Amino acid sequence: VQLVESGGGLVQPGGSLRLSCAANGFTFRLSDMSWVRQAPGKDLEWVSSINNRGDFTVYTDSVKGRFTISRDDAKNTLHLQMNSLKTEDSGVYYCATGLTSVALTSPFRGQGTQVTVSS
């Protein structure tokens, strides 16, 4: 199993980023997927999930209305569109298998991509 995140960077508050996660080594289209993040000095936090059919999405309250999770099964890729970014969104973002809290303990997680929101 290989999960490779990309798309992070430095952005000003109010800005946008689009994260991607390329998946290999397992049947991506059959897998529920999530994004989780970790801010410096804090625990891993679940952010958003999408089921394997792509017809169910769920978000942690702090990102509702600002983030959108999506998947492209033809390209084995998971995305996270992040708009209206806030400083508290900063951290390392990981994609992982599983839905909601299950993703926090998934044995399959990428190496992460750094998101820094700062003026």
Side-chain angles (χ1 to χ4, degrees):
V1 173
Q2 186 179 32
L3 297 167
V4 180
E5 300 92 340
S6 61
L10 173 63
V11 63
Q12 293 186 340
S16 297
L17 284 173
R18 180 176 171 83
L19 306 184
S20 296
C21 170
N24 284 292
F26 65 106
T27 309
F28 179 77
R29 63 181 175 80
L30 298 181
S31 300
D32 301 325
M33 297 296 298
S34 293
W35 288 95
V36 298
R37 66 186 178 188
Q38 188 164 30
K42 294 190 176 181
D43 291 337
L44 196 64
E45 175 190 23
W46 167 77
V47 176
S48 179
S49 296
I50 185 167
N51 70 347
N52 62 342
R53 293 183 304 276
D55 59 3
F56 171 77
T57 59
V58 61
Y59 303 88
T60 192
D61 286 347
S62 64
V63 309
K64 283 181 182 176
R66 300 189 297 121
F67 290 11
T68 303
I69 190 171
S70 62
R71 62 191 299 152
D72 184 343
D73 289 348
K75 296 182 178 179
N76 284 0
T77 303
L78 180 72
H79 297 289
L80 186 68
Q81 177 67 44
M82 305 188 296
N83 299 328
S84 303
L85 282 161
K86 304 177 180 181
T87 55
E88 52 264 41
D89 294 318
S90 295
V92 179
Y93 282 69
Y94 305 88
C95 63
T97 57
L99 279 178
T100 59
S101 60
V102 172
L104 294 174
T105 55
S106 172
F108 306 121
R109 190 196 315 163
Q111 85 292 343
T113 186
Q114 177 72 49
V115 172
T116 303
V117 185
S118 175
S119 55

